[in-house]
Amino acid sequence: MNELLKTLVELPGACAHEHAVIRFLSEYLDGKVDEWHVDGLGNLIVKKQGGLPGPTLMVSAHSDEVGFIVKKIEKNGLLRFEKLGGNDDRTLLSELVNVVTDNGLVPGVIGNISAHMRRFDDQSLIRSYLKLYIDIGVHSKEEAEELGVKVGDPICWATKYQEIGKNMALGHAFDDRAGCYCLVRLLTETDFSRVRGTVYGIFSVQEELGLRGAETAANELHADVALAVDTTACSDTFEGMMDDTMALGKGPGVKIMDMSLAADVHVHKKLAKLCEENDIPWQPEVFTGIGTDAGALHRSHGGVPSSVISIPSRYAHSSCELIDLNDLEYCVQLLKLFVCSMTDRSEFAFLQ
Protein backbone atom coordinates (compact mmCIF):
# COMPACT_ATOMS: atom_id res chain seq x y z
CA MET A 1 0.00 0.00 0.00
CA ASN A 2 1.33 3.43 -0.97
CA GLU A 3 0.82 5.22 2.34
CA LEU A 4 1.73 8.72 1.13
CA LEU A 5 -0.68 8.53 -1.79
CA LYS A 6 -3.39 7.02 0.44
CA THR A 7 -3.01 9.83 2.98
CA LEU A 8 -3.17 12.54 0.32
CA VAL A 9 -6.22 11.06 -1.39
CA GLU A 10 -8.22 10.59 1.80
CA LEU A 11 -7.64 14.06 3.25
CA PRO A 12 -10.70 16.33 2.90
CA GLY A 13 -9.92 19.33 0.72
CA ALA A 14 -12.81 20.75 -1.26
CA CYS A 15 -12.20 23.99 -3.17
CA ALA A 16 -11.35 26.88 -0.80
CA HIS A 17 -11.23 24.39 2.10
CA GLU A 18 -7.84 22.77 1.41
CA HIS A 19 -6.53 23.44 4.93
CA ALA A 20 -5.96 19.79 5.94
CA VAL A 21 -4.06 19.05 2.73
CA ILE A 22 -1.87 22.16 2.89
CA ARG A 23 -1.18 21.58 6.59
CA PHE A 24 -0.11 17.98 5.95
CA LEU A 25 2.11 18.91 3.00
CA SER A 26 3.79 21.80 4.83
CA GLU A 27 4.57 19.57 7.80
CA TYR A 28 5.74 16.71 5.57
CA LEU A 29 8.08 18.94 3.54
CA ASP A 30 9.38 21.01 6.43
CA GLY A 31 13.12 20.39 6.60
CA LYS A 32 13.15 18.68 3.21
CA VAL A 33 13.02 21.91 1.15
CA ASP A 34 15.07 25.10 1.33
CA GLU A 35 12.14 27.42 1.94
CA TRP A 36 8.37 27.24 2.17
CA HIS A 37 5.47 29.52 2.91
CA VAL A 38 1.70 29.62 2.58
CA ASP A 39 0.38 32.69 0.78
CA GLY A 40 -2.78 34.64 1.56
CA LEU A 41 -4.99 32.48 -0.65
CA GLY A 42 -3.64 29.21 0.78
CA ASN A 43 -1.11 28.08 -1.82
CA LEU A 44 1.88 26.23 -0.40
CA ILE A 45 4.96 27.47 -2.27
CA VAL A 46 8.25 25.65 -1.70
CA LYS A 47 11.74 26.28 -3.07
CA LYS A 48 14.57 23.93 -3.93
CA GLN A 49 17.80 25.55 -5.09
CA GLY A 50 19.94 23.63 -7.53
CA GLY A 51 23.69 23.36 -7.06
CA LEU A 52 24.43 24.98 -10.42
CA PRO A 53 23.18 28.14 -12.15
CA GLY A 54 20.31 27.70 -14.57
CA PRO A 55 16.67 28.50 -15.32
CA THR A 56 13.84 28.91 -12.83
CA LEU A 57 11.05 26.35 -13.07
CA MET A 58 7.56 26.46 -11.55
CA VAL A 59 5.84 23.10 -11.05
CA SER A 60 2.21 23.22 -9.93
CA ALA A 61 -0.16 20.55 -8.66
CA HIS A 62 -3.51 21.53 -7.18
CA SER A 63 -4.46 20.45 -3.69
CA ASP A 64 -8.22 20.94 -3.99
CA GLU A 65 -10.86 18.46 -5.09
CA VAL A 66 -14.36 19.00 -6.42
CA GLY A 67 -16.88 18.91 -3.60
CA PHE A 68 -19.92 20.64 -2.18
CA ILE A 69 -20.92 23.09 0.53
CA VAL A 70 -23.90 23.10 2.90
CA LYS A 71 -26.43 25.64 1.61
CA LYS A 72 -29.40 25.03 3.94
CA ILE A 73 -30.45 22.73 6.76
CA GLU A 74 -34.10 21.74 6.30
CA LYS A 75 -36.50 21.41 9.22
CA ASN A 76 -36.28 17.60 9.04
CA GLY A 77 -32.45 17.67 9.13
CA LEU A 78 -31.81 16.99 5.46
CA LEU A 79 -29.09 19.17 3.94
CA ARG A 80 -29.36 21.17 0.73
CA PHE A 81 -26.02 21.80 -0.94
CA GLU A 82 -24.19 23.82 -3.58
CA LYS A 83 -21.37 22.59 -5.81
CA LEU A 84 -17.72 23.46 -5.34
CA GLY A 85 -16.24 22.78 -8.77
CA GLY A 86 -17.42 20.73 -11.70
CA ASN A 87 -19.53 17.89 -10.36
CA ASP A 88 -21.82 16.04 -12.77
CA ASP A 89 -25.40 15.57 -11.58
CA ARG A 90 -25.42 12.05 -13.11
CA THR A 91 -22.83 10.84 -10.57
CA LEU A 92 -24.45 12.05 -7.36
CA LEU A 93 -27.28 9.73 -6.38
CA SER A 94 -26.76 7.44 -3.37
CA GLU A 95 -23.10 8.40 -2.97
CA LEU A 96 -21.46 8.53 0.46
CA VAL A 97 -20.09 11.88 1.62
CA ASN A 98 -18.50 13.50 4.65
CA VAL A 99 -19.56 16.90 5.94
CA VAL A 100 -16.43 18.59 7.28
CA THR A 101 -17.46 20.36 10.48
CA ASP A 102 -15.53 22.08 13.25
CA ASN A 103 -16.26 18.97 15.34
CA GLY A 104 -14.93 16.52 12.74
CA LEU A 105 -16.39 14.52 9.85
CA VAL A 106 -20.13 13.85 9.78
CA PRO A 107 -21.00 11.00 7.38
CA GLY A 108 -24.00 11.16 5.09
CA VAL A 109 -25.49 9.96 1.83
CA ILE A 110 -26.90 11.89 -1.11
CA GLY A 111 -30.55 10.83 -1.13
CA ASN A 112 -32.27 8.89 -3.87
CA ILE A 113 -35.76 7.44 -4.21
CA SER A 114 -36.25 3.76 -3.50
CA ALA A 115 -36.19 1.36 -6.45
CA HIS A 116 -39.74 0.44 -5.39
CA MET A 117 -40.83 3.97 -6.37
CA ARG A 118 -39.28 3.74 -9.83
CA ARG A 119 -42.50 3.04 -11.74
CA PHE A 120 -44.02 6.23 -10.37
CA ASP A 121 -41.10 8.38 -11.55
CA ASP A 122 -39.93 9.78 -14.87
CA GLN A 123 -37.11 7.33 -15.58
CA SER A 124 -35.52 9.60 -18.21
CA LEU A 125 -35.05 12.39 -15.68
CA ILE A 126 -31.62 13.44 -14.44
CA ARG A 127 -32.37 15.45 -11.33
CA SER A 128 -30.50 18.70 -10.84
CA TYR A 129 -28.35 18.80 -7.72
CA LEU A 130 -30.58 21.69 -6.62
CA LYS A 131 -33.37 19.14 -6.06
CA LEU A 132 -31.18 16.71 -4.17
CA TYR A 133 -30.30 16.53 -0.48
CA ILE A 134 -27.86 14.88 1.90
CA ASP A 135 -29.15 12.63 4.65
CA ILE A 136 -26.94 12.58 7.76
CA GLY A 137 -29.27 10.38 9.81
CA VAL A 138 -31.10 12.91 11.94
CA HIS A 139 -34.73 13.94 12.31
CA SER A 140 -34.51 17.70 12.70
CA LYS A 141 -32.47 20.81 12.04
CA GLU A 142 -31.65 20.95 15.75
CA GLU A 143 -30.20 17.44 15.70
CA ALA A 144 -28.07 18.33 12.67
CA GLU A 145 -26.77 21.38 14.48
CA GLU A 146 -25.99 19.26 17.57
CA LEU A 147 -23.61 17.26 15.33
CA GLY A 148 -21.86 20.51 14.45
CA VAL A 149 -23.28 20.92 10.95
CA LYS A 150 -23.80 24.50 9.82
CA VAL A 151 -24.34 26.41 6.61
CA GLY A 152 -21.01 26.88 4.86
CA ASP A 153 -19.45 23.56 5.88
CA PRO A 154 -17.62 21.85 3.00
CA ILE A 155 -18.61 18.36 1.87
CA CYS A 156 -16.31 15.74 0.31
CA TRP A 157 -16.70 12.24 -1.07
CA ALA A 158 -16.17 9.53 1.55
CA THR A 159 -14.52 6.94 -0.70
CA LYS A 160 -11.49 5.21 0.83
CA TYR A 161 -8.26 4.62 -1.11
CA GLN A 162 -8.01 1.10 -2.51
CA GLU A 163 -5.51 -0.72 -4.68
CA ILE A 164 -7.33 -3.08 -7.04
CA GLY A 165 -6.76 -5.32 -10.02
CA LYS A 166 -3.39 -5.17 -11.78
CA ASN A 167 -1.65 -2.28 -9.97
CA MET A 168 -4.60 0.11 -10.20
CA ALA A 169 -5.77 2.50 -7.48
CA LEU A 170 -9.27 3.77 -6.71
CA GLY A 171 -10.07 6.91 -4.75
CA HIS A 172 -11.98 10.17 -4.73
CA ALA A 173 -9.31 12.86 -5.06
CA PHE A 174 -6.62 11.68 -7.46
CA ASP A 175 -7.53 14.93 -9.25
CA ASP A 176 -5.14 16.25 -8.19
CA ARG A 177 -3.59 14.66 -5.10
CA ALA A 178 -1.88 12.28 -7.53
CA GLY A 179 -0.14 15.35 -8.96
CA CYS A 180 0.73 16.52 -5.44
CA TYR A 181 2.24 13.09 -4.83
CA CYS A 182 4.43 13.42 -7.94
CA LEU A 183 5.61 16.87 -6.87
CA VAL A 184 6.44 15.68 -3.33
CA ARG A 185 8.52 12.86 -4.79
CA LEU A 186 10.36 15.27 -7.07
CA LEU A 187 11.21 17.57 -4.17
CA THR A 188 12.28 14.84 -1.75
CA GLU A 189 14.02 12.31 -4.00
CA THR A 190 16.00 14.46 -6.46
CA ASP A 191 19.69 15.22 -5.90
CA PHE A 192 19.46 18.99 -6.31
CA SER A 193 23.21 19.44 -6.04
CA ARG A 194 23.28 18.33 -9.68
CA VAL A 195 20.33 20.45 -10.82
CA ARG A 196 20.92 23.56 -12.89
CA GLY A 197 18.63 26.28 -11.66
CA THR A 198 15.84 26.77 -9.14
CA VAL A 199 12.61 24.83 -8.74
CA TYR A 200 9.51 26.29 -7.10
CA GLY A 201 6.84 23.76 -6.19
CA ILE A 202 3.30 25.14 -6.00
CA PHE A 203 0.62 23.15 -4.22
CA SER A 204 -2.18 25.36 -5.43
CA VAL A 205 -5.69 25.96 -4.13
CA GLN A 206 -8.99 26.60 -5.89
CA GLU A 207 -7.93 25.15 -9.25
CA GLU A 208 -11.39 23.67 -9.70
CA LEU A 209 -12.91 27.15 -9.31
CA GLY A 210 -10.93 28.59 -12.23
CA LEU A 211 -7.17 28.20 -11.63
CA ARG A 212 -7.32 30.88 -8.93
CA GLY A 213 -4.47 29.62 -6.77
CA ALA A 214 -2.05 29.13 -9.66
CA GLU A 215 -2.76 32.63 -10.93
CA THR A 216 -1.98 34.11 -7.52
CA ALA A 217 1.19 32.06 -7.04
CA ALA A 218 2.51 32.78 -10.54
CA ASN A 219 2.18 36.50 -9.88
CA GLU A 220 4.54 36.10 -6.92
CA LEU A 221 7.18 34.09 -8.80
CA HIS A 222 9.28 34.93 -11.85
CA ALA A 223 10.00 31.78 -13.83
CA ASP A 224 11.59 30.86 -17.16
CA VAL A 225 9.49 27.72 -17.66
CA ALA A 226 6.50 26.05 -16.01
CA LEU A 227 4.87 22.65 -15.71
CA ALA A 228 1.63 21.49 -14.21
CA VAL A 229 1.13 17.90 -13.08
CA ASP A 230 -2.53 16.94 -13.19
CA THR A 231 -4.87 14.12 -14.09
CA THR A 232 -6.54 13.95 -17.47
CA ALA A 233 -9.61 12.08 -18.68
CA CYS A 234 -9.14 8.73 -20.37
CA SER A 235 -11.14 7.91 -23.50
CA ASP A 236 -10.60 4.14 -23.51
CA THR A 237 -14.04 2.88 -22.43
CA PHE A 238 -17.15 2.09 -24.48
CA GLU A 239 -19.23 5.29 -24.39
CA GLY A 240 -20.06 6.72 -27.79
CA MET A 241 -17.89 9.84 -27.53
CA MET A 242 -14.76 7.92 -26.52
CA ASP A 243 -12.00 7.94 -29.17
CA ASP A 244 -9.21 5.98 -27.38
CA THR A 245 -6.70 8.83 -27.58
CA MET A 246 -5.84 8.56 -23.87
CA ALA A 247 -5.74 5.23 -22.05
CA LEU A 248 -4.79 3.77 -18.69
CA GLY A 249 -1.53 1.88 -18.64
CA LYS A 250 0.07 3.59 -21.62
CA GLY A 251 2.13 6.15 -19.74
CA PRO A 252 1.90 9.90 -19.05
CA GLY A 253 0.08 12.29 -21.31
CA VAL A 254 2.27 15.07 -22.70
CA LYS A 255 0.08 18.13 -23.12
CA ILE A 256 -0.04 19.77 -26.52
CA MET A 257 -3.36 21.61 -26.13
CA ASP A 258 -6.38 21.89 -23.88
CA MET A 259 -9.02 24.56 -23.31
CA SER A 260 -6.71 26.60 -21.07
CA LEU A 261 -3.37 26.18 -22.83
CA ALA A 262 -1.66 25.81 -26.16
CA ALA A 263 1.51 24.25 -24.77
CA ASP A 264 4.89 25.71 -25.61
CA VAL A 265 6.40 23.76 -28.51
CA HIS A 266 9.87 23.53 -26.98
CA VAL A 267 8.57 22.35 -23.61
CA HIS A 268 6.22 19.62 -24.84
CA LYS A 269 8.79 18.40 -27.37
CA LYS A 270 11.42 18.22 -24.61
CA LEU A 271 9.05 16.12 -22.50
CA ALA A 272 8.39 13.80 -25.44
CA LYS A 273 12.11 13.49 -26.21
CA LEU A 274 12.90 12.63 -22.60
CA CYS A 275 10.29 9.87 -22.75
CA GLU A 276 11.74 8.46 -25.96
CA GLU A 277 15.32 8.56 -24.68
CA ASN A 278 14.46 6.90 -21.36
CA ASP A 279 11.98 4.22 -22.51
CA ILE A 280 9.01 5.89 -20.85
CA PRO A 281 5.73 5.15 -22.64
CA TRP A 282 3.85 8.37 -23.34
CA GLN A 283 0.73 9.70 -25.02
CA PRO A 284 0.35 13.00 -26.90
CA GLU A 285 -2.60 14.92 -25.48
CA VAL A 286 -4.88 17.21 -27.46
CA PHE A 287 -8.09 17.49 -25.43
CA THR A 288 -10.23 20.60 -25.15
CA GLY A 289 -12.48 19.23 -22.40
CA ILE A 290 -10.06 20.10 -19.61
CA GLY A 291 -7.93 22.90 -18.15
CA THR A 292 -5.03 22.89 -15.70
CA ASP A 293 -2.91 25.25 -13.59
CA ALA A 294 -0.62 25.70 -16.60
CA GLY A 295 -3.42 27.77 -18.13
CA ALA A 296 -2.70 30.40 -15.48
CA LEU A 297 1.05 29.90 -15.14
CA HIS A 298 1.80 30.57 -18.80
CA ARG A 299 0.15 34.00 -18.72
CA SER A 300 2.21 35.45 -15.87
CA HIS A 301 4.95 38.10 -16.12
CA GLY A 302 4.98 38.55 -19.88
CA GLY A 303 4.49 34.85 -20.64
CA VAL A 304 6.10 31.64 -19.39
CA PRO A 305 6.72 28.62 -21.69
CA SER A 306 4.55 25.87 -20.22
CA SER A 307 3.20 22.37 -20.66
CA VAL A 308 1.63 19.62 -18.54
CA ILE A 309 2.53 16.11 -17.48
CA SER A 310 -0.85 14.37 -17.41
CA ILE A 311 -1.80 11.37 -15.27
CA PRO A 312 -4.41 9.30 -17.13
CA SER A 313 -7.57 8.80 -15.07
CA ARG A 314 -10.99 7.25 -15.49
CA TYR A 315 -14.19 8.61 -13.89
CA ALA A 316 -12.77 12.04 -13.04
CA HIS A 317 -14.81 14.33 -10.78
CA SER A 318 -16.73 11.42 -9.32
CA SER A 319 -16.55 9.56 -6.02
CA CYS A 320 -14.46 6.77 -7.59
CA GLU A 321 -11.58 7.88 -9.79
CA LEU A 322 -9.27 5.18 -11.15
CA ILE A 323 -5.59 5.46 -12.07
CA ASP A 324 -2.82 3.04 -13.07
CA LEU A 325 0.04 3.16 -10.57
CA ASN A 326 2.53 2.36 -13.33
CA ASP A 327 1.43 5.52 -15.16
CA LEU A 328 1.89 7.45 -11.93
CA GLU A 329 5.43 6.15 -11.47
CA TYR A 330 6.32 7.09 -15.05
CA CYS A 331 5.00 10.61 -14.36
CA VAL A 332 7.35 10.90 -11.38
CA GLN A 333 10.27 9.70 -13.50
CA LEU A 334 9.47 12.15 -16.31
CA LEU A 335 9.21 15.08 -13.90
CA LYS A 336 12.59 14.23 -12.36
CA LEU A 337 14.18 13.86 -15.80
CA PHE A 338 12.90 17.26 -16.89
CA VAL A 339 14.33 18.96 -13.80
CA CYS A 340 17.67 17.19 -14.08
CA SER A 341 18.01 17.95 -17.81
CA MET A 342 17.54 21.73 -17.57
CA THR A 343 20.54 23.69 -18.84
CA ASP A 344 19.81 27.34 -19.57
CA ARG A 345 16.76 29.56 -19.96
CA SER A 346 17.61 29.96 -23.66
CA GLU A 347 16.46 26.39 -24.37
CA PHE A 348 12.89 27.58 -23.76
CA ALA A 349 13.11 30.79 -25.82
CA PHE A 350 10.34 31.18 -28.41
CA LEU A 351 12.86 31.83 -31.21
CA GLN A 352 15.69 29.31 -31.02
Side-chain angles (χ1 to χ4, degrees):
M1 183 71 71
N2 189 321
E3 292 299 327
L4 174 59
L5 184 60
K6 179 180 185 293
T7 297
L8 286 169
V9 168
E10 292 186 353
L11 286 169
C15 310
H17 300 271
E18 304 92 341
H19 303 73
V21 184
I22 296 299
R23 182 176 294 108
F24 170 80
L25 287 168
S26 61
E27 292 175 354
Y28 187 89
L29 291 170
D30 188 38
K32 300 182 179 73
V33 295
D34 298 322
E35 300 175 13
W36 68 267
H37 71 278
V38 177
D39 70 14
L41 200 62
N43 299 301
L44 172 61
I45 301 173
V46 305
K47 179 181 179 182
K48 287 287 283 189
Q49 181 64 55
L52 301 167
T56 297
L57 168 69
M58 295 185 288
V59 184
S60 186
H62 68 89
S63 64
D64 59 318
E65 60 181 299
V66 295
F68 312 94
I69 192 167
V70 177
K71 183 178 181 179
K72 180 184 180 183
I73 306 174
E74 297 284 6
K75 291 181 180 179
N76 64 356
L78 298 177
L79 310 181
R80 299 290 187 178
F81 58 91
E82 186 55 71
K83 293 180 181 180
L84 287 174
N87 282 294
D88 186 341
D89 291 350
R90 294 173 296 179
T91 69
L92 304 184
L93 298 179
S94 301
E95 292 289 357
L96 299 178
V97 296
N98 283 318
V99 183
V100 186
T101 77
D102 293 339
N103 298 336
L105 301 180
V106 173
V109 60
I110 299 178
N112 189 17
I113 63 171
S114 166
H116 302 292
M117 303 291 288
R118 178 179 174 186
R119 66 192 180 106
F120 303 109
D121 191 31
D122 180 355
Q123 296 181 37
S124 66
L125 180 66
I126 298 174
R127 283 183 173 79
S128 165
Y129 74 97
L130 294 170
K131 297 181 180 179
L132 301 180
Y133 52 87
I134 292 171
D135 193 333
I136 58 170
V138 298
H139 297 97
S140 67
K141 180 178 181 180
E142 290 73 24
E143 289 182 352
E145 291 173 339
E146 286 174 9
L147 293 177
V149 176
K150 60 183 182 300
V151 172
D153 284 340
I155 303 161
C156 297
W157 300 121
T159 315
K160 296 295 185 180
Y161 175 90
Q162 300 179 65
E163 294 179 7
I164 65 171
K166 296 293 186 179
N167 211 31
M168 302 268 193
L170 189 72
H172 70 86
F174 288 121
D175 182 10
D176 183 34
R177 309 290 166 66
C180 293
Y181 169 84
C182 293
L183 182 49
V184 168
R185 297 239 347 239
L186 168 72
L187 295 167
T188 58
E189 297 177 5
T190 304
D191 181 0
F192 274 84
S193 68
R194 299 185 178 186
V195 171
R196 293 183 178 272
T198 304
V199 175
Y200 286 99
I202 303 168
F203 298 93
S204 67
V205 296
Q206 299 190 39
E207 189 267 359
E208 300 291 0
L209 296 180
L211 318 182
R212 297 176 186 179
E215 180 181 0
T216 302
N219 284 333
E220 176 182 334
L221 306 174
H222 291 261
D224 302 304
V225 60
L227 293 174
V229 186
D230 205 342
T231 62
T232 193
C234 285
S235 56
D236 59 351
T237 51
F238 301 129
E239 291 81 3
M241 80 292 289
M242 298 300 191
D243 59 6
D244 203 25
T245 56
M246 184 65 59
L248 286 187
K250 293 187 177 180
V254 173
K255 184 84 71 179
I256 298 171
M257 190 182 86
D258 64 22
M259 71 176 183
S260 69
L261 173 75
D264 180 83
V265 171
H266 304 303
V267 180
H268 77 68
K269 285 187 175 180
K270 180 180 177 73
L271 289 168
K273 184 179 179 182
L274 288 168
C275 288
E276 299 288 352
E277 291 175 345
N278 292 275
D279 297 321
I280 295 176
W282 67 283
Q283 306 175 74
E285 183 186 4
V286 177
F287 179 45
T288 57
I290 203 167
T292 73
D293 276 349
L297 301 179
H298 82 285
R299 297 185 182 192
S300 62
H301 298 295
V304 180
S306 304
S307 187
V308 183
I309 297 174
S310 295
I311 305 161
S313 168
R314 289 180 185 160
Y315 323 125
H317 287 202
S318 77
S319 65
C320 297
E321 300 175 343
L322 185 71
I323 65 170
D324 187 310
L325 292 172
N326 292 320
D327 291 338
L328 186 64
E329 187 62 32
Y330 282 129
C331 288
V332 174
Q333 291 182 31
L334 180 54
L335 186 55
K336 291 179 180 178
L337 286 166
F338 188 93
V339 168
C340 293
S341 68
M342 295 191 304
T343 56
D344 186 82
R345 62 183 300 181
S346 62
E347 68 176 309
F348 306 112
F350 189 84
L351 296 179
Q352 295 288 321

